[in-house]
Each structure stands twice: as structure tokens, then as C-alpha cells.
Amino acid sequence: VDVRRRAAARKAGGFLISDAVELLQLASDGCDVTDVEELVWSEEASLVPVSSPQAHKEAVGMRVYSLKLNGCSVLIVGNDLTHRVASMGVMECKTFVAACERAEKMQTPLLFLNASSGARLGVDEAMKKMLTFAEDGKLVAGGMEVSSVSNPNADYGVPSLSACGATARAYSRLYDHGMCVTVCIGRAVGIGAYLARLGRRTIQVAQTPIILTGQAALNKVLGKDVYESNAQLGGPQIMHQNGVTHLTASNCLEAMKQAVNWMEWKTRVEAKEPARPVPPEGDGALSPAQLVDVLFDAGSFVEVQRAWAKSVVCGRARLNGRAVGVIATQTATTELVVPADPGDFSTSERRIQHPGCLWLPDSAAKTAEALEDMGREHLPIIILANWRGFSGGLRDLFEGVLQAGSGIVEGLRKYPAPVFVYIPRGAELRGGAWVVLDKQINEHGNIQILMDPSARGGILEPEGTAEIRFKKTAIREWMERDGADEKEYPKYRAGALRFCDSHDRAEALLAQQVIDGVVDLADARGFLTKKLNELLLQ
């Protein structure tokens, strides 16, 4: 039986859920997987050890496994791709909710292997076999008129939809109060798609769609074959670019390896030296990749949501073996590709250039979401800041840059772990970008702002400040005071810029107590390591 099911699961693009433990063993690179136990929903005790595995396979598609990975408890929950097309009936939903509640209560990481065709569609099969017409044309079954069918044991229809609502609540709550990782091993339709979003930390295997409605149903509504496949609607080329998917994988084994890495992320490991030495001065601002290479342990950085909102880089790294969150400004110009919708003939593909060092609606939203995710994991964060401000054009405001920027404030206001805002060599932090990162934002006093000696901070760049506060008239008054000739105007104009710039230098801001330290990039790794250790020991 399992051989046939295994073949059917592979045909559906995933794997048989009963093989999950074995796949986890392969993915964990020789780590010990012990104390494996299958659990089943019970009205008396929520989840209990299964007594009849084969009978359970036939009755319920949602499966739960409890195990220990390197001595740490882990729960695996997932739908059987071969059981009633992986639909979510009432019992599947009850089992999923119980798994979430157990994971929250025991503070156990939960690995959700997401494969769902949505709420279960069905009718009363027993009554269907008795259907006939009365002489007056009324529909009857078993001698009784059929007008309203109510089956108290129905696991389909609206009872299924209601149960799906309970799964959404449970998984959303687990995201708030526990640790969960979602691996989409098969199609995630309807409630499956919502669960992929609600739990965040989503890993999508290639060609596994995350969609609300199948392409066949959409084509029927449109009256023509517009969409070619479910993957066209919700494959990684869509869901990774819009931020629903955090990581992508070419196959299920790779996805499971990523999931294991995520669940073990907070475990401290042996420190490694950075990938490269600090480059010599004079090359201007460094790219996010260069900063990561000189500050963090070699090979430790894992970027998430890489294809979405590329003007900010978010991920996790290790600083001297300790896990930290990383948010960094992208200094280069990036390109946003908005695909054409085959279902809307008025659309066409658009390519939009986004400048670096600027928070846009999507990158501000990505920053806010990263703060929310990392805050749930209580990760210390290092923000490598090089923002000139927020984009504020009409389209930007229409697309929600103000809301997204406010989300950054909300994320930092309640952030529960240390936050280091480091303005590195050649970088600047100005205007609204400074405001949303300021150390007074956090209600626990967890934010510290550090600057490289060559970095700058202020409302406007010197040229902008001079246009308003050191205008031509003021420059000429200065020249008259000094008895300078008109041909010396460029010299005095440059002096005015230098004067404005002197207000934005690290030494000035430290004296004003709006930053916490001046730290050269060459010393930043050691300083951050020492400071973080001190804070975490308090």
C-alpha cells in the first residue's frame, strides 16, 4: 500500500508524509533523530500515541510525529498527499490545531510540511445513493423530501471551512508564541496558502504552487484557457518575489535541510573568522555583501526573501558563533519586474529601477516584517544603516511607504533583544530614516547607535542644508566680512558645505549624546561581539 502511495505522492510533486522522519534524518547530516512517535487526535487528551497506524492512515490525512533532533524535541505535522487529494476535513483540522497547541505549550519547534488542496468539498454520500424524484417533481431520499441536508458528522462543506478557520487561528498564534517553519512540499491551496503566510518562515520547493484558487477553476470563470498551470499562478517566481516565500529549494531534501538549519539557528556554534579582511579606506561605502564578509563568521549569512524588495537585504548570520539578525541597506540600483497577468489583457510586464540607499514602500515593509520575525525569535539584530531617507513621491505614498515606515517604528518600539544600528564606513543616515531607527524608539532601551568615523548623520546632506541655512546671501556676507574677492566665491561655497558637514560628523553626534559610540569598521566585529556578550549576560 505504501509503495503505491509513495508513487502517488511523488507524482504530486512531494513525498509520502510517513517518510518525513527518514527525510529529516537525511537532511540533518548525521544528527541523532530519536524517540520517534506518531500521535493522533483524541477528544480525551488532544494528541496521544497512535494505537493502530494503518487504521489511522485510512481515517485521517493529517499526521503528527514527535521526535528528538540532537536531543531537542521537535514536532512534525503534515497532510498526506494521497489521502482524499490532501483536502482539509474537520478531523485533519482538529489534528493540526492540536499539534500547534502542543508546540506552543511545550515550546517545541514545529515543522509543518504543507500540502493541501483546501477545505474539503463533499455531499452526503449515503443520501446521494437514495435520491429520486417524487411524482410532483420534488427531490426525495428514503421517502423524505430533500430540502435542507444537515449531517452532524459532516467533515466537508462549511463545517470544513469553519475548522480551517481554527487552523488559521492556531498557526497564527503559534507564530506569536512559539517557533514554526513551513515547508511547502506540495500544492498549498486555499487554507494551505494562508497557513504558508501566517506561519512565516516559509520554504517553497520548486514547482509547488501557493495559490488561493486552482488554474482550472480560474479558467472556467474566465471562459478560456488563460492560465497554463498552478505553478504559473503561485510558483516561486511569484511567491518569492512578493515576500510570501522566505527561501526556495530545488527539491524536498534541500528544503528539509534549510528547515533543520532554521530550527537550530539559535544554537551557538564554534566561531569562524570573517570571509575577508576589512578593505582599505578610500573606496566609499561598502556593499551589503562586503559588510557581511568583514563582520560575520564566514559562510554563516543566510539571506531570506532575497527576490522581494531588493533594496534592503535581510537575513541571519553568526557573530563569533552567536546567531544574530541582519538588516542592511542595498547601495546598488535594483530592478523590480512586475509580471503581466494573462487573465488581464490590459497588463504588460513592467521593469522598474529602484535606487539604492532609499527606503521604498516594499523595502520598508520588508524591514518591518524582518523585525517582526526576528523579534519572535528574540534574536539580537545588527542594522547596517546607509539610508538617505524614505521615498516620498505620489506613487510611493499611494503604495504605502508611510504605513510601512510606521511598521518599522512599531517593530523597534517593542523589540525584545539588543539592536545595534551601525552606520559603517562612507555611509549616511538622514531624515526620516534616522527617526525610525533612533535609540529612543525602543521602550526597553535596547537600541544602540554606532558610527564609523567617516560616516555621517543629519536631516539633509550638506548641499541641501546649505541651500536653506547657508544661502548665497549668507556666503556673500561672509565674503564681505573677510574682504574677499568675487572670484573666491567657490572657495567660500565649499567652506559653507564643510561647515554644514561638520554638524553631521560622528564626533559631533557623540558629543550631543545622540549616538553611543564611534567605532571604526576595522574594530567593529570585535566591538560588537564584546558588547553583545555583555548585554546578554546582564
Side-chain angles (χ1 to χ4, degrees):
V1 174
D2 275 356
V3 171
R4 291 198 300 271
R5 284 185 167 179
R6 191 171 286 111
R10 285 177 179 169
K11 187 176 180 181
F15 58 85
L16 196 61
I17 193 65
S18 57
D19 292 336
V21 175
E22 184 179 348
L23 197 62
L24 184 70
Q25 177 79 67
L26 291 171
S28 57
D29 292 329
C31 295
D32 290 332
V33 177
T34 59
D35 300 348
V36 180
E37 188 174 44
E38 185 173 359
L39 306 174
V40 61
W41 186 81
S42 163
E43 290 192 33
E44 293 77 27
S46 194
L47 285 177
V48 297
V50 62
S51 57
S52 176
Q54 190 58 43
H56 179 54
K57 287 179 187 177
E58 301 296 334
V60 182
M62 191 66 68
R63 312 284 287 282
V64 182
Y65 297 93
S66 172
L67 55 90
K68 287 191 175 179
L69 179 63
N70 269 357
C72 298
S73 296
V74 174
L75 276 178
I76 298 178
V77 61
N79 219 0
D80 185 347
L81 276 163
T82 68
H83 181 85
R84 302 185 71 170
V85 296
S87 60
M88 295 282 278
V90 173
M91 287 305 301
E92 282 76 16
C93 292
K94 285 183 176 180
T95 303
F96 183 86
V97 170
C100 291
E101 290 174 347
R102 182 186 180 101
E104 180 186 345
K105 181 180 179 180
M106 299 178 67
Q107 286 299 290
T108 298
L110 183 139
L111 174 58
F112 172 34
L113 304 178
N114 191 351
S116 168
S117 59
R120 182 165 293 161
L121 187 66
V123 296
D124 191 313
E125 293 295 331
M127 187 176 289
K128 186 174 77 172
K129 293 174 182 177
M130 298 186 292
L131 280 178
T132 187
F133 286 103
E135 290 182 3
D136 59 1
K138 291 180 178 178
L139 201 60
V140 295
M144 299 182 66
E145 182 183 351
V146 178
S147 59
S148 174
V149 179
S150 177
N151 182 345
N153 298 315
D155 69 342
Y156 53 81
V158 174
S160 169
L161 290 172
S162 179
C164 286
T167 67
R169 182 258 306 158
Y171 207 42
S172 176
R173 179 179 170 84
L174 182 59
Y175 169 72
D176 275 344
H177 301 286
M179 174 64 181
C180 51
V181 177
T182 303
V183 178
C184 292
I185 63 168
R187 62 187 178 188
V189 183
I191 184 60
Y194 279 107
L195 293 175
R197 172 59 183 171
L198 288 169
R200 312 284 181 89
R201 306 186 191 92
T202 298
I203 303 167
Q204 186 177 14
V205 179
Q207 301 306 309
T208 58
I210 301 173
I211 54 176
L212 295 178
T213 307
Q215 51 93 207
L218 286 174
N219 285 342
K220 207 169 272 187
V221 170
L222 294 168
K224 58 179 71 176
D225 291 338
V226 174
Y227 298 107
E228 297 175 0
S229 67
N230 289 330
Q232 181 189 18
L233 281 168
Q237 81 284 357
I238 300 296
M239 292 299 163
H240 196 32
Q241 290 199 40
N242 67 14
V244 169
T245 297
H246 286 66
L247 297 170
T248 61
S250 58
N251 55 58
C252 291
L253 180 59
E254 182 187 342
M256 291 289 273
K257 287 181 178 179
Q258 292 174 343
V260 169
N261 182 46
W262 214 326
M263 288 189 293
E264 294 185 328
W265 192 253
K266 289 195 73 174
T267 305
R268 188 153 189 187
V269 300
E270 186 178 344
K272 293 182 180 178
E273 288 299 310
R276 69 168 81 181
V278 177
E281 294 187 36
D283 296 333
L286 277 66
S287 70
Q290 290 174 310
L291 288 169
V292 163
D293 281 352
V294 302
L295 290 175
F296 303 110
D297 298 12
S300 69
F301 180 64
V302 178
E303 184 179 355
V304 297
Q305 299 174 308
R306 178 193 294 268
W308 176 46
K310 298 176 185 176
S311 54
V312 67
V313 175
C314 302
R316 291 156 182 78
R318 293 194 181 275
L319 180 65
N320 204 37
R322 192 185 294 279
V324 294
V326 179
I327 298 173
T329 311
Q330 177 56 263
T331 55
T333 298
T334 58
E335 183 178 67
L336 169 66
V337 179
V338 182
D341 185 351
D344 183 352
F345 297 117
S346 68
T347 65
S348 59
E349 182 180 275
R350 291 188 296 137
R351 293 179 176 269
I352 304 168
Q353 301 295 310
H354 284 163
C357 302
L358 200 63
W359 257 321
L360 301 153
D362 60 352
S363 56
K366 180 177 175 179
T367 304
E369 187 169 309
L371 290 169
E372 190 175 6
D373 288 349
M374 295 168 187
R376 295 295 194 283
E377 299 170 33
H378 288 259
L379 278 180
I381 286 188
I382 296 173
I383 301 176
L384 302 173
N386 188 6
W387 285 285
R388 292 181 288 114
F390 286 85
S391 58
L394 184 150
R395 183 182 292 276
D396 301 310
L397 290 168
F398 180 78
E399 291 179 352
V401 69
L402 181 59
Q403 298 94 308
S406 299
I408 297 173
V409 173
E410 282 299 304
L412 283 174
R413 176 184 64 82
K414 54 193 177 185
Y415 202 81
V419 177
F420 294 98
V421 178
Y422 182 50
I423 312 173
R425 180 187 298 169
E428 56 186 338
L429 187 62
R430 299 195 181 275
W434 184 292
V435 172
V436 302
L437 297 179
D438 188 79
K439 62 181 182 176
Q440 296 197 66
I441 292 287
N442 187 263
E443 57 196 16
H444 310 296
N446 283 339
I447 298 177
Q448 294 192 32
I449 301 180
L450 309 168
M451 292 179 69
D452 181 271
S454 67
R456 297 291 187 269
I459 296 177
L460 297 175
E461 294 168 351
E463 291 80 0
T465 302
E467 284 295 321
I468 299 170
R469 306 305 303 172
F470 216 134
K471 297 181 179 180
K472 287 183 178 180
T473 51
I475 294 174
R476 295 193 186 282
E477 287 175 3
W478 179 16
M479 292 172 66
E480 287 177 11
R481 244 185 2 253
D482 286 0
D485 190 274
E486 181 63 27
K487 64 183 179 182
E488 294 184 88
Y489 179 84
K491 170 187 170 182
Y492 279 81
R493 166 67 177 168
L497 295 180
R498 284 167 56 194
F499 177 70
C500 292
D501 177 68
S502 68
H503 293 70
D504 301 342
R505 298 178 69 90
E507 314 92 84
L509 302 183
L510 182 63
Q512 293 169 333
Q513 299 182 352
V514 291
I515 66 172
D516 297 281
V518 180
V519 182
D520 192 282
L521 180 62
D523 305 319
R525 175 180 163 88
F527 182 91
L528 290 168
T529 299
K530 180 182 177 183
K531 200 71 177 175
L532 183 58
N533 288 338
E534 290 173 357
L535 291 171
L536 294 176
L537 287 173
Q538 287 179 359

